[in-house]
């Protein structure tokens, strides 16, 4: 019965049947219903752009904002749509004013491009950039909070961290970290690239000053859908990346819904001239799609597949686990350390060319990792395929 549900769910996804896609962590594939909806909207944009952009978009945009905010435990009037989390973090890093001298603090496991954003922000503000080491394989969320506590100094102006780390899939205790930072007057910016739909997210409870994320990974919305959430007290700290028609606005009603499907405050950050925002407008369909199976059931299936990955790739192939098994510390990605001497480029090429397996090989300064993502549409057979490919590729 359970198997029928998941094979039926998989049949509703647009997946290449020849590929074992164990890499939702990089990019999410689309449910057919989401693809059809976004294509329909694009057809209207193509045939009657004026009607679509001026009359049809505003209510659709507001609906998408409300649905996404509700799904994530937030307030629609705080949610700016962006094309991806890179844009979300850049809006913050490019415009936030931070007092110098001081430092921007990051974990040592941040996504490379986001680290560079803060490098530039530090230069712009005359601050130093410092990373602090996360425990290698923490046994509890408390160990991560302790590491952050030990890293804070009176000079720390801002803490940036990923909710779910890209290299290992480790889930950080976002709410606790924000609380610790807030108590010291430190601003918090979270890179939630992987979090929406992978793990439960409640933006109000997390309490970050800024939380950016993608909808085009685990939520399975079209490429080009992300958001930035403005925390209480931080609404006025940012400037848009591009000045457009939202720039001058009446201060009265700055947080009230306007005729564009935004609020004046959100539109100032969000509207970048004419562009294709159809990916944002179908976020409700992406939420509905997974909601239809039930989030509890999806999470249970993800946990089942994750346990299977640990059995087959960890114990079976004999690779050391780099992602803790503690339920609060992982979601739907597990990473394993590869043997010393493995050539990452050759392994990547062989996984694809010989086995048609999509799973990233991640080069960290201290070790080489293979990261396996399992969403509800993955199968035990795909994990078996990886488990039987690896010994030959690593030792053969
Ligand atoms: C932690 C993290 N941050 C940022 C990004 C960048 O995402 P995007 O290219 O969608 O902006 C990624 C992409 O995988 C990521 O894993």
């Amino acid at each position: 019965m359970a198997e029928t549900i998941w094979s039926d769910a998989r049949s509703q996804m647009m997946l290449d049947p020849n590929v074992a896609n164990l890499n939702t962590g990089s990019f999410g594939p689309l449910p057919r219903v989401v693809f059809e909806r976004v294509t329909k909207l694009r057809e209207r944009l193509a045939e009657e752009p004026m009607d679509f952009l001026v009359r049809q978009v505003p209510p659709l945009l507001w609906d998408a904002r409300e649905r996404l905010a509700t799904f994530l435990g937030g307030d629609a009037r705080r949610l700016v749509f962006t094309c991806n989390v890179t844009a979300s973090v850049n809006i913050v890093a490019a415009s936030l004013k931070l007092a110098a001298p001081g430092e921007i603090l990051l974990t040592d496991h941040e996504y490379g491009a986001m680290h560079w954003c803060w490098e530039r922000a530090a230069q712009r503000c005359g601050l130093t950039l410092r990373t602090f080491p996360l425990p290698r394989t923490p046994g509890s969320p408390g160990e991560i909070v302790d590491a952050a506590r030990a890293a804070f100094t009176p000079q720390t102006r801002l803490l940036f961290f990923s909710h779910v780390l890209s290299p290992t899939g480790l889930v950080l205790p976002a709410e606790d970290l924000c609380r610790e930072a807030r108590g010291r007057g430190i601003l918090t910016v979270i890179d939630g690239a992987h979090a929406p739909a992978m793990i439960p997210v409640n933006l109000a409870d997390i309490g970050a000053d800024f939380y950016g994320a993608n909808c085009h990974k685990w939520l399975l919305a079209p490429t080009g859908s992300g958001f930035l959430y403005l925390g209480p007290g931080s609404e006025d700290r940012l400037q848009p990346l591009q000045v457009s028609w939202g720039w001058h606005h009446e201060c009265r009603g700055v947080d009230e819904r306007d005729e564009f499907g935004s609020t004046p405050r959100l539109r100032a950050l969000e509207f970048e001239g004419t562009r294709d925002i159809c990916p944002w407008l179908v976020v409700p369909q992406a939420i509905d799609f997974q909601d239809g199976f039930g989030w509890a059931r999806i999470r249970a299936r993800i946990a089942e597949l994750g346990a299977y990955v640990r059995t087959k790739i960890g114990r079976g192939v004999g690779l050391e686990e780099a992602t803790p098994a503690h339920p609060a510390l992982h979601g739907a990605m597990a990473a394993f350390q590869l043997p010393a001497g493995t050539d990452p480029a050759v392994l990547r090429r062989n996984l694809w060319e010989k086995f048609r397996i999509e799973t990233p090989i991640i080069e960290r300064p201290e070790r080489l990792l293979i990261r396996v993502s399992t969403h509800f549409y993955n199968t035990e057979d795909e994990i078996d395929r990886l488990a039987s490919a690896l010994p030959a590729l690593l030792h053969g």
Side-chain angles (χ1 to χ4, degrees), residues 60-314:
L60 291 174
L61 181 57
W62 187 260
D63 178 53
R65 200 186 306 284
E66 279 197 321
R67 290 293 314 281
L68 182 58
T70 304
F71 173 63
L72 297 170
D75 176 344
R77 287 161 305 172
R78 298 185 171 279
L79 191 145
V80 181
F81 273 110
T82 62
C83 288
N84 47 50
V85 68
T86 300
S88 312
V89 174
N90 268 282
I91 294 174
V92 184
S95 67
L96 196 61
K97 289 199 178 79
L98 296 166
E103 67 175 18
I104 294 173
L105 187 65
L106 274 59
T107 84
D108 63 348
H109 276 67
E110 296 312 322
Y111 189 75
M114 301 299 94
H115 186 107
W116 288 352
C117 268
W118 294 106
E119 214 172 82
R120 189 177 75 155
Q123 275 167 14
R124 177 178 61 80
C125 299
L127 299 169
T128 52
L129 186 74
R130 187 163 65 86
T131 59
F132 72 97
L134 287 170
R136 192 175 157 105
T137 313
S140 71
E143 282 180 40
I144 299 168
V145 179
D146 287 345
R149 255 198 229 113
F152 290 138
T153 73
Q155 295 293 298
T156 311
R157 304 279 174 257
L158 181 142
L159 172 69
F160 174 77
F161 63 91
S162 298
H163 199 169
V164 181
L165 295 182
S166 171
T168 62
L170 177 73
V171 176
L172 301 199
E175 190 177 336
D176 294 342
L177 291 171
C178 289
R179 189 183 314 109
E180 290 290 331
R182 197 166 46 248
R184 293 165 173 80
I186 298 168
L187 291 178
T188 46
V189 184
I190 300 183
D191 171 351
H194 296 271
M198 184 213 267
I199 56 172
V201 174
N202 187 302
L203 294 169
D205 288 350
I206 291 170
D209 288 288
F210 303 103
Y211 188 108
N214 282 328
C215 302
H216 55 224
K217 289 187 191 278
W218 298 86
L219 190 55
L220 312 178
T223 305
S225 50
F227 68 89
L228 173 66
Y229 192 77
L230 313 175
S234 287
E235 303 84 355
D236 281 332
R237 295 186 198 265
L238 303 182
Q239 300 255 321
L241 288 174
Q242 308 202 46
V243 171
S244 187
W245 285 109
W247 179 247
H248 283 299
H249 53 263
E250 295 292 327
C251 281
R252 241 186 28 191
V254 74
D255 288 317
E256 280 166 28
R257 179 177 171 176
D258 63 17
E259 68 272 37
F260 306 108
S262 313
T263 68
R265 188 198 304 281
L266 299 179
R267 186 169 154 83
L269 296 168
E270 183 177 281
F271 186 76
E272 295 190 335
T274 308
R275 60 182 167 151
D276 181 0
I277 61 164
C278 294
W280 305 350
L281 306 180
V282 297
V283 163
Q285 283 71 34
I287 295 172
D288 287 343
F289 177 73
Q290 292 193 62
D291 199 31
F293 300 106
W295 292 102
R297 263 208 314 214
I298 286 186
R299 300 240 155 78
R301 177 61 178 157
I302 285 174
E304 188 175 43
L305 288 169
Y308 195 74
V309 168
R310 282 171 198 273
T311 304
K312 288 293 186 159
I313 311 296

